[in-house]
Structure formats: C-alpha cells, structure tokens
Amino acid sequence: MSSSQPNILILMADQLTPSALAAYGNPVSLTPHMDSLAEQGVVFDSAYCNSPLCAPSRYAFLTGQLPSTIGAFDNASELSAEIPTFAHHLRAAGYLTILSGKMHFCGADQQHGFEQRLTTDIYPADFGWTPDWLHPQQRLDWYHNMSSVTQAGTCVRTNQLDFDEEVVFSTRQKLYDLARQPEARPFCLLASLTHPHDPFAIPAAYWERFDSARIPPPKVPLCVPDPHSERIRAMCQLEDDTLSPQQIQQARHAYYAAVAYVDDQFGAILQTLRETGQDQNTVVIVVSDHGEMLGERGLWYKMNFFEGASRVPLIIHAPQRYQAHRVAASVSLVDLLPTLLEMAQAPAPVEALAGRSLQAHLRGDTGHDQVYAEYLAEGALAPIVMIRRERWKFIHSPADPDQLYDLERDPDELHNLAPLAQYAAQRLELRAEAARHWDLPGLRQEIVRSQQRRQLIFRAQQQGQITHWDYQPLQNAGYRYIRNHMKLDDLEAMARFPRVTP
C-alpha cells in the first residue's frame, strides 16, 4: 500500500437531516461518535444532495454527475453499467472497493465498481417503483403515506433493524479480515445504513434515552404551501387534520432515537477500526443521501428543496491530513468523487464531472460555493431544479411559480422573494442560468419516455417466471472457520488478532 493512498471509510445514513445532529447545533441529539468526528474533522455547514430522493441522490454521489445526465430520475431508475463510479476509479487506482448495505441499485448491474459487496439491498432492484407523469392524479400503491407517523413508537424488531445489524456485522467482520490478512492495496469501504429513514419505529432502549418533553416541535408548522408541497401532501395522503400534535411528537421522538441508534452503529464500526490499528491511515467520511422534513412546513420525508429535505451532513475526519474547521460554502454530493480521486492520487476522470474537488475547502483555502440540484420523480409535473449560491436559493420548474430565498436573512425560508419587484432582475438572471444549464422541456420528454419504457418492462417481467435482479451475497463456506485445506494450528493463528508469536 502506498503511504500516500489512505484507506477510506464512508459511513452513510439514510434520510439524516443535519439539523438533528449536535454537530450542527441541535441541543437534544445524542450522537457522541459523530460529535467526536466533527470536533476533530472538517464539517461542511452547507452541504446538499443533488436530488432529495434516495436512488438519484446516491447515483449522483457515486458518479459525480447530476441525475439528469445519467438518467437517474427516480427510485426505479437504472444506473447504467457503463457510467464510472468512484468505486471504478479507485479500483483502477489500486484500491479494494467494498460495499456493505443500502445503495438502491436498480437493474442487472448490482456492483457498479465495488469489487466486494457484503450484503443485499433493503429495497427492490426492479422497475416497480416507476412514477407516471402522464397520470399525475393516479396514486400508486408504493407512494409514501402517513402510517410511518401515525404508527410511530417503540418496537422489538423491524425490517430495518434486521438490515442494519447485518450491515454493521458484515462491515466489522470485513475490517477484522483486512487486519488479519493485510491487503497490499488500500481499501475504500462504504457502510450504508437504512436508519433513520421512516418508518419511525425503534427499540425502547433508544426511545428511553430521550425525554419527549425536551424534543422540540416543528419550528415552522403549517404554512401556506407552494404548489409542489401541496402535491406532495396529497400524494402522502396528508390533510391538515390527519396528524395530532401527539403523533407528530411521537414521530420526532422516534426519529431522534433512530439517529442515536445510527450513531451507536457508526461507533461500533469506528471501534473496530481503532482496535485493529487501521484508524491512523483511514479517512472517515460521514454523509447522508438527503434529509427529513420531520413535520416542518407540514411536510414529512423528502422530495422537495427546503432545507430539511435537501441539506445533508458532511463530515470528513482525517486529523493527520486536515486541521479541524468548518466550511460555510455550499457544496454537494457530486463533489465527493473528484475529492476521493484527489485523496487517492487516482488518474483524472475520462469525462467532465458536475462535481468539483473539496480539497481547497479541506485545506482551509477558498473553494467553490455553488450547488445544482434536481427533483425528477413522483409528485412533480415537470423537472424541478435548484441553484444554491452564496446566500441565495432559487427553485424553478416550468409547472410551478419560482421561489427565491435569502437564507442569510431568512433561514427558515418563510419569505419567497421571487414575486417581489425589487428582486425581478435577480430572478430573471437565475432563470436564464437555469435555462442555460438545463433543457427542461427536453428533459421532461426524456423522463416520460423512460417512465413508459420501464413500466412496460416491469409489467412484462411480472408474467410467468420472474428473474430477480436483487443482489445475492456469495460466501464460499469451504474457506470459513475451520476447514482441512490448512493445518489447524496455522489456521487458528491466522484468525487470531493480534497474532500471537510462537
């Protein structure tokens, strides 16, 4: 392993909003492990996803490209096998690339450059969750509803607990294996949990860490919704009287408890990294795919560009490389691929990227301050795009009125400045920038054609014998534990860590 090529450990949570973390100023959150990483690392205070939805966001994170560029429109979009991810780039540069947990890949390629994939995914790999923009009034049965909120509370076991515990066990086991049988190559290991994503159910041990009375209610309760927010509320079957204050509080309580659960899981992985002595040359990155509205503005889940849904935590911990500090500039998930390549001294990408390296920010120098993002999935009637730069956030769609917010003066996004005459020049300038950056009418046609193709394929694949694309983890039992291909004493010595010298 080249000393200039660090190991890379990426800890990813699902639907984790930074405002729920102590590292971002939350007084209630209980996240000591993430707090420690933040105290010693570089914290990005204005990091955004490039699409506030799981699969498109993750594809952008992996490829350094905007979702529209790679056809990553929604949660049933296929990431083409010919599009390089950071796993391809790092593997070509000599890294062992490993995925444990959720990545929401759809289609036949379920590895996308990861040499080893330790678990299956929690969500289906087929096209069954394809939206239908030609029939926007039709409610599809896989859409979010409010049961995650109305049924929030404690549990003994859930599907998500089953999944995340497998992810953490597999991740720690892999770290032990890497320590016991050192690779000549550095590793990039991505461990991706599904918590604190809804449904909001968590074991009592985590629930009881919190005094419900101390968990704040939504800061911005019901307000006059924009047209897209109205569509999202209708899609989720959310009326003004659907939820009681108690149900809202229960759901927020469960979410905070799930965030504490995530922190414990990250802590277990970090403990293994330290115990095996691999922490000194490992860059640790904490990130999420998107946020969670948690009842703010009367909205839940994601699928919009308000701060609760579109901002993500981003913490990069490498004390041997970067001094601890905070970054105020706006950056996004597409910036991680070029950053990782620069860290790994990997060759430059073969084509232009949407992202830009964060190395200047990490060194404490002046870096870029700009985010482009898109929402192209259920609840939209046409592409919705966002430009974030300096103090401004601009949201535009051919189907909806523009939105313009001054986040320095109005961090809660209560005052849409777009209709005001004194901001007309700025709004028109941003609309022109959006028109230069996106062909929105052409993009809508491309999305609709893709939806129709995938709907046909899914209907066809449900007839007769069904072939699943879901990833099947493979293990060779002939090389696990004690087998006769090695002498018993040699095998036991190899499996013990630290190794005992005879």
Side-chain angles (χ1 to χ4, degrees), residues 52-53 144 228 232 235-236 290 293 300-305 309 375 377-379 384:
L53 193 66
H144 273 83
H228 179 63
I232 293 295
M235 189 181 75
C236 293
H290 50 74
M293 289 302 290
W300 292 84
Y301 317 131
K302 55 265 187 178
M303 301 175 284
N304 65 74
F305 283 117
Y375 183 70
E378 59 265 22
I384 304 173

Side-chain angles (χ1 to χ4, degrees), residues 150-171:
T150 60
Q151 299 172 13
T154 61
C155 66
V156 173
R157 205 69 190 164
T158 66
N159 195 27
Q160 296 193 168
L161 290 165
D162 291 344
F163 184 79
D164 279 350
E165 291 186 12
E166 179 184 354
V167 171
V168 173
F169 174 84
S170 299
T171 300

Side-chain angles (χ1 to χ4, degrees), residues 178-200:
L178 291 169
R180 289 183 293 195
Q181 297 175 290
E183 273 270 353
R185 298 177 291 170
F187 66 79
C188 175
L189 198 167
L190 170 52
S192 180
L193 305 186
T194 191
H195 284 90
H197 191 292
D198 61 286
F200 304 124

Side-chain angles (χ1 to χ4, degrees), residues 50-51 53-61 65 67 70 72-75 377:
N50 301 100
S51 182
L53 193 66
C54 296
S57 177
R58 291 163 184 270
Y59 294 178
F61 155 70
Q65 302 284 9
I70 55 176
F73 305 133
D74 52 64
N75 275 344

Side-chain angles (χ1 to χ4, degrees), residues 416-435:
N416 179 13
L417 305 177
L420 303 183
Q422 60 264 46
Y423 294 95
Q426 187 170 10
R427 179 177 68 86
L428 291 174
E429 181 180 335
L430 286 163
R431 285 194 73 159
E433 180 178 350

